[in-house]
Amino acid sequence: MSQTSFDDDDLFGEAAEEMSADVEEHLAAARTELPTADSIWETEADNVLGVLNGLKSALDVGEAADHLRQAKKWFTLGSRAEAFENPEELQEEIETVEQLLETVDEASDEVSGLTATIPALRGDLQEAHEAADAASAESGGAAEAEEAE
């Protein structure tokens, strides 16, 4: 039968290893949830609205924010306990994923704005051109009437 050690230092070391593994696992899961480069670059759409809707869907980050939150939570706890061998490296990885997530969120917001604006703009432009065509037809008809007199 093996003897289990309940020494505080051994338990702390074990807990520190588990925290570090949790941080790494959550960071990896957050990266996995981020869109792929191809998914936001390539498209199969017939018009601009289709492209925007496809891009909006491609920019979905899934549960990346939740995984990042978990990584930061365990990192904060482990850092305060001075449990990590290379906290600077983990902090850098967290910041990189966080910045990337923020950039994707900002892009998603911009695409959402365009998705709402483009159909209204299209309608307004159609009306403007129809009005211009109608005005041109009226002025053309009036010019022909003057020439006939």
Side-chain angles (χ1 to χ4, degrees):
M1 196 180 240
S2 69
Q3 175 112 11
T4 304
S5 173
F6 292 106
D7 179 52
D8 285 349
D9 288 339
D10 290 342
L11 292 173
F12 183 81
E14 191 177 313
E17 287 175 20
E18 289 174 9
M19 266 190 260
S20 184
D22 281 347
V23 171
E24 291 289 345
E25 286 172 18
H26 284 292
L27 281 174
R31 284 188 199 101
T32 300
E33 290 286 324
L34 292 172
T36 65
D38 287 344
S39 72
I40 66 163
W41 192 254
E42 296 175 1
T43 187
E44 293 181 21
D46 295 330
N47 57 45
V48 171
L49 187 57
V51 170
L52 291 172
N53 282 327
L55 181 56
K56 185 177 173 184
S57 294
L59 289 170
D60 180 19
V61 294
E63 297 190 19
D66 293 336
H67 287 294
L68 179 61
R69 180 175 171 74
Q70 290 297 317
K72 288 179 77 170
K73 179 173 67 173
W74 289 114
F75 176 77
T76 300
L77 182 63
S79 291
R80 289 186 181 166
E82 297 180 1
F84 300 124
E85 288 181 26
N86 295 318
E88 298 83 14
E89 188 176 306
L90 280 175
Q91 178 69 35
E92 236 177 78
E93 288 182 47
I94 288 170
E95 288 171 359
T96 298
V97 172
E98 187 171 30
Q99 289 171 354
L100 191 53
L101 186 59
E102 287 173 5
T103 301
V104 171
D105 283 342
E106 289 170 8
S108 181
D109 290 345
E110 290 177 20
V111 170
S112 292
L114 283 172
T115 302
T117 302
I118 294 298
L121 177 59
R122 180 177 184 238
D124 292 345
L125 289 171
Q126 284 176 329
E127 289 175 14
H129 283 282
E130 288 169 3
D133 290 345
S136 177
E138 282 180 21
S139 67
E144 287 176 16
E146 285 181 19
E147 290 177 12
E149 290 178 10

